[in-house]
Amino acid sequence: MDPLAGMDDSSTDDDTSSQATEDDPQVPENQAPPPATAPVPPPVPAAGPREKPHYALRHTLRGHTQSISAVKFSPDGKLLASCGAEKVVKIWSPETGEFLRNLSGHTQGLSDISWSSDSVYLASASDDTTIRIWDVETGMTHKLLKGHTKWVFCLNYNTVSNLLVSGGCDGDVRIWNAARGKCMKTLHAHMDYVTAVHFNKDASLIVSCALDGLIRIWNTSDGQCLKTLAEGHDAICQHVQFSPNSKYILSTAHDSTIRLWDYQTTRCLKVYKGHVNAKYCISACFSVTGGKWIVAGSEDHKTYIWDLQTREIVQVLEGHTDIVVAVATHPSQNMIATGSIDSDLAIRIWVDPPVGGS
Amino acid sequence: MNESLINPFTLSHPTAVQTSLFAGATFAKFDPTGRFIASAARLAFSVQIWDLETRAPIRWLDGHVKAITNIDWSRNSRYLLTSSRDWNAIIWDLSSPCDPPQRHGSLRFDAPVVSAYFHPKNSQIILALLATGEAYVCDLRKQNRSRIELLETITDEGIEEEENNGQGVMRSPMTVARFDPTGKNIFVGTASGSILVFNTRTKTMIARHKISGAGAMKGFDFAKSGRRLVSNSSDRTLRQFILPSYSNPPTDTELLEQSQPPFLDLELEPTHRFNDPINRTAWHAMCYSPDGDWLAGGAADPSGHKIYIWDISNDGQLASPLDGGREPLLHLHWHPTRSLLASTTNMGNILIWHHPNPERWGAFAGGFEEVDENVEYEEREDEFDIEDEEVQFQRKMKAEEEEVDIDTIVTGAQAAVLGGLGTLSGNMGGAATPIGTGPSGNYSMDIDKLGSGMGDDIEAAWAEEEPDTDIRGAWKMKVIMDSEEASEYY
């Protein structure tokens, strides 16, 4: 890196000096300042190879006895929640890696969890067709949401956390009043399992995707379908979410591809490849705390990190001994949590030490 | 931010009732963020806050002992100001976690309070109007703590005239008092049909407009730009005025020299008059749309719930009358950013009007677009040419090189500036108007442009001394849920 920078320096110096000599041979005496300033610009081209993440394993959290389906950091960053096929939600401290408590009450396995924005409540989607909203501090069920006719597969709060959206295996998307626990609206959204639902930032739109291969965008207030995105061929999409500013959506599909869409123009802007994803519902997420990355699990037991802009794989996290289906990024620190299915059953927490640390 | 996807055509006015809230209210107002509605309960003398998304009441403010006459929200919705016939005005802090929230402050007057408003830039400056026809500016800031009555300047000729009539100096009672959207000036309507303009900082009268034939003033509403005013008066006519630019008040030294500061005495001619030519019904309330292109008037018709919408951008033509059923209308308010209206019936129900989008079935099919008419398709010359896959791939990869921005949030105000809409001037683009400046304002009249001179900066600086604690995103509404059985209703 440094030798290269030096090379750049010398070449630019040569250029300027040669030009100067052509113009006026006496000027080089006055050209003293440019060589002094010249070393300053090169670091910019030298930084051309973008900075890369350096995530390293910090904790391995063991305790789940059946496949993990989701891990989520609380919005205040103090807690990590995980769920799996074993009917309980587990709360961990991401900082120390210690297990804090179980939230138990569901009678079937769990598929997804979501934190309210104040980090007080946690909603969980279960195969017992209900959603429970938990008071995380006390571990008690705050509300029990009944209405889905089949397994509930995915859910999310909106930013102000007065609404909850959930998707079920009957193809329905339901919008709930989170404070009262009542279903406000049912959208007969898809023909197959709804595998992901997500609100945009101001909760005016919902994006959903299902195993019927379609991504649909809905108007929250009147429940109308506004747009359908489909990649066309065998790209069955199984996870979808809005970008942090809600300008784009990120989808993962069963052709081992993650796509970033501009949903206004229905254009696929970026394609991220290199991982293996043909069978399981594997989520991806944005990482914006350090560099801008896309993070996703893979069926080859690894976790991949791509550069958002260049679409290159910048780091591969190895350590899990089975398929990584769940990933989450910390809201304010360079921290990633990954969860794996049966035979590994561990959650691993990876951190990128800040510059000057380590 | 998603208006273009939700409604690909221009933002239109509401046309149909979406929901009604059984509030038992006398009037209801949206908050500046557009997430809540505050309604004044008729019987309990309390205020209810509703969540517009879940359509459920989330807070109750109980403190008055007589009817509530007006509700005003602070600019980022944290504080609520209620005025009541019980001679009090109360400031509520909605971030308070206790239920009912404690009073943040209260002001006591010597007569029933007709209305009380927050200064648009600082919720510690309050304009109150009493039933006796007096208006007060109450400054609650530590440095400027004061309560000053707004007094109409009576000219010498006027005094002589009055003396000839054998009466003392009589000022006409004030019937309306409002800040303009910048907070620089206060507009006061009087029972004798004039509009008085006061400077907020100096509390001196800077202009008087006689409105011929108007009778007593009943209400004002401003377009967001602050250059257009609509007035309601006892002659059952709504008048729209384009306001002149007001000179800045004289400095304090000049004031000392002159016992009577000069003011602009000008008769204003309305650009439009709106009335009901057949039934001559009066108006209970009127409200501009967020972009100022529409004006909604609520008719004081005892036999039905009628709202008239006029298209201001199209020379004030009547766009459509809305019929809300048999319960007469008491009040109406337009949502700060969206095409939504809240009208209150005399039975206490709040009707939420919206603009229903026609269902677009084409949206259910991927890569399919509905067109209104058949389009003759013209094939491009090279449309079906076989292209080298390698070239195609290269082009795709090139397109993907484009940088994307996933986490910069463009707010409404920024979007308007980026869009070059130019409806905002320097002092409007600040914290005072963070809403309602979204991309919907494609249409902008030249008159909506505000001239910002040195004087405006002084006024703004004065108002922003000792800023209040109403900061966007720095507080959160605590949601209170009532008992389980009540939840069945909503």
Side-chain angles (χ1 to χ4, degrees), chain B residues 60-263:
Chain B
W60 286 260
L61 312 177
D62 219 342
H64 286 292
V65 294
K66 280 193 173 174
I68 292 171
T69 52
N70 189 50
I71 296 175
D72 192 37
W73 291 88
S74 66
R75 62 182 189 282
N76 291 320
S77 309
R78 174 168 173 176
Y79 300 107
L80 198 72
L81 178 61
T82 55
S83 59
S84 163
R85 288 196 202 290
D86 66 5
W87 301 15
N88 282 311
I90 301 182
I91 306 162
W92 306 89
D93 182 357
L94 294 176
S95 69
S96 156
C98 18
D99 183 51
Q102 283 162 344
R103 298 167 183 215
H104 186 66
S106 70
L107 296 166
R108 189 164 172 80
F109 295 93
D110 303 333
V113 190
V114 176
S115 74
Y117 288 93
F118 285 122
H119 187 286
K121 287 187 176 151
N122 196 326
S123 64
Q124 296 167 94
I125 306 167
I126 286 165
L127 171 65
L129 177 71
L130 306 187
T132 51
E134 298 150 5
Y136 290 92
V137 177
C138 306
D139 201 325
L140 306 178
R141 295 179 293 181
K142 283 197 183 72
Q143 301 292 323
N144 301 352
R145 188 172 286 274
S146 61
R147 180 182 291 195
I148 297 171
E149 189 180 352
L150 296 178
L151 288 175
E152 182 182 354
T153 312
I154 303 288
T155 50
D156 293 335
E157 309 96 76
I159 291 172
E160 279 164 27
E161 245 173 63
E162 298 286 349
E163 280 169 352
N164 292 343
N165 293 344
Q167 294 167 343
V169 177
M170 276 292 290
R171 291 185 167 94
S172 173
M174 297 175 178
T175 49
V176 194
R178 291 286 301 269
F179 285 108
D180 74 358
T182 61
K184 183 188 165 195
N185 296 321
I186 294 170
F187 284 73
V188 170
T190 68
S192 62
S194 7
I195 300 174
L196 311 177
V197 187
F198 292 87
N199 180 278
T200 310
R201 180 172 55 92
T202 60
K203 281 92 177 167
T204 50
M205 191 168 103
I206 53 172
R208 176 167 58 200
H209 305 298
K210 282 229 164 61
I211 311 300
S212 55
M217 288 291 162
K218 287 168 67 185
F220 289 156
D221 191 45
F222 291 91
K224 281 246 165 60
S225 62
R227 289 307 300 270
R228 282 184 290 147
L229 167 76
V230 61
S231 75
N232 182 17
S233 51
S234 58
D235 70 338
R236 306 180 169 203
T237 304
L238 304 180
R239 288 175 171 79
Q240 178 183 264
F241 302 100
I242 291 172
L243 298 172
S245 345
Y246 297 105
S247 58
N248 295 305
T251 55
D252 292 342
T253 47
E254 285 174 56
L255 259 183
L256 290 173
E257 286 163 20
Q258 293 169 282
S259 59
Q260 280 188 337
F263 63 86

Side-chain angles (χ1 to χ4, degrees), chain B residues 156-469:
Chain B
D156 293 335
E157 309 96 76
I159 291 172
E160 279 164 27
E161 245 173 63
E162 298 286 349
E163 280 169 352
N164 292 343
N165 293 344
Q167 294 167 343
V169 177
M170 276 292 290
R171 291 185 167 94
S172 173
M174 297 175 178
T175 49
V176 194
R178 291 286 301 269
F179 285 108
D180 74 358
T182 61
K184 183 188 165 195
N185 296 321
I186 294 170
F187 284 73
V188 170
T190 68
S192 62
S194 7
I195 300 174
L196 311 177
V197 187
F198 292 87
N199 180 278
T200 310
R201 180 172 55 92
T202 60
K203 281 92 177 167
T204 50
M205 191 168 103
I206 53 172
R208 176 167 58 200
H209 305 298
K210 282 229 164 61
I211 311 300
S212 55
M217 288 291 162
K218 287 168 67 185
F220 289 156
D221 191 45
F222 291 91
K224 281 246 165 60
S225 62
R227 289 307 300 270
R228 282 184 290 147
L229 167 76
V230 61
S231 75
N232 182 17
S233 51
S234 58
D235 70 338
R236 306 180 169 203
T237 304
L238 304 180
R239 288 175 171 79
Q240 178 183 264
F241 302 100
I242 291 172
L243 298 172
S245 345
Y246 297 105
S247 58
N248 295 305
T251 55
D252 292 342
T253 47
E254 285 174 56
L255 259 183
L256 290 173
E257 286 163 20
Q258 293 169 282
S259 59
Q260 280 188 337
F263 63 86
L264 176 75
D265 203 346
L266 180 74
E267 196 156 314
L268 271 187
E269 198 52 38
T271 56
H272 295 97
R273 283 190 177 85
F274 306 101
N275 55 16
D276 180 346
I278 300 153
N279 297 322
R280 299 290 299 161
T281 44
W283 305 99
H284 268 322
M286 68 287 170
C287 198
Y288 277 111
S289 66
D291 53 8
D293 286 358
W294 308 95
L295 177 70
D301 186 340
S303 63
H305 194 96
K306 298 252 168 44
I307 299 170
Y308 294 84
I309 311 252
W310 293 280
D311 188 349
I312 301 289
S313 58
N314 191 9
D315 201 33
Q317 281 185 353
L318 179 66
S320 71
L322 307 180
D323 191 343
R326 298 173 61 116
E327 298 173 11
L329 175 142
L330 292 181
H331 190 264
L332 133 139
H333 193 228
W334 203 304
H335 189 278
T337 50
R338 286 159 57 192
S339 182
L340 284 178
L341 266 173
S343 67
T344 314
T345 74
N346 75 336
M347 302 301 282
N349 298 326
I350 303 168
L351 307 184
I352 310 281
W353 299 78
H354 74 142
H355 180 75
N357 297 317
E359 187 82 66
R360 288 189 291 149
W361 301 108
F364 280 92
F368 180 84
E369 211 170 300
E370 264 182 87
V371 287
D372 293 331
E373 284 175 19
N374 280 342
V375 176
E376 193 90 11
Y377 187 75
E378 274 182 44
E379 185 187 315
R380 276 196 335 272
E381 176 57 36
D382 57 345
E383 183 155 8
F384 296 102
D385 288 3
I386 295 161
E387 200 180 358
D388 190 2
E389 272 185 29
E390 187 64 26
V391 175
Q392 222 168 350
F393 178 76
Q394 289 296 333
R395 195 163 35 147
K396 201 173 167 207
M397 293 310 276
K398 187 114 187 164
E400 283 183 26
E401 292 292 326
E402 204 176 301
E403 298 255 315
V404 291
D405 176 9
I406 55 162
D407 57 352
T408 314
I409 294 146
V410 179
T411 64
Q414 284 170 312
V417 171
L418 292 176
L421 299 180
T423 46
L424 296 169
S425 78
N427 63 342
M428 289 280 290
T433 53
I435 37 84
T437 52
S440 57
N442 287 326
Y443 172 82
S444 70
M445 289 195 203
D446 282 347
I447 54 154
D448 283 349
K449 283 181 183 152
L450 266 184
S452 75
M454 285 294 283
D456 293 359
D457 298 337
I458 298 172
E459 309 299 333
W462 173 80
E464 281 159 12
E465 278 171 27
E466 286 185 63
D468 58 14
T469 45

Side-chain angles (χ1 to χ4, degrees), chain B residues 14-31:
Chain B
T15 50
V17 175
Q18 185 180 31
T19 9
S20 63
L21 310 175
F22 301 100
T26 50
F27 60 93
K29 282 188 177 175
F30 290 106
D31 81 312

Side-chain angles (χ1 to χ4, degrees), chain A residues 50 143 162 180 184 200-201 204 216 224-225 227-228 244-245 248 263 269-271 286 292 309 311, chain B residues 2 4 6 51 53 357 363-364 366 397 400 402-409 481-482 484 487:
Chain A
R50 287 162 184 264
K143 290 280 176 207
N162 58 348
R180 287 182 193 279
M184 293 170 56
N200 72 340
K201 205 171 160 356
S204 58
R216 287 203 164 116
Q224 284 187 2
C225 179
K227 200 160 237 183
T228 300
N245 61 359
Y248 309 109
Y263 60 87
L269 296 176
K270 303 262 182 192
V271 174
F286 292 97
K292 306 282 180 271
Q309 308 292 0
R311 316 182 309 288
Chain B
N2 303 298
S4 58
I6 291 172
D51 185 329
E53 268 169 350
N357 297 317
F364 280 92
M397 293 310 276
E400 283 183 26
E402 204 176 301
E403 298 255 315
V404 291
D405 176 9
I406 55 162
D407 57 352
T408 314
I409 294 146
M481 281 296 137
D482 53 356
E484 280 298 316
S487 72

Side-chain angles (χ1 to χ4, degrees), chain A residues 7 20 50 64 80 103 123 152 192 215 236 248 261 282 300 313 324:
Chain A
M7 296 261 290
R50 287 162 184 264
H64 278 282
L80 177 74
L103 308 177
V152 193
D192 209 329
I215 302 170
I236 302 296
Y248 309 109
W261 300 80
I282 293 179
D300 59 5
I313 295 171
V324 180

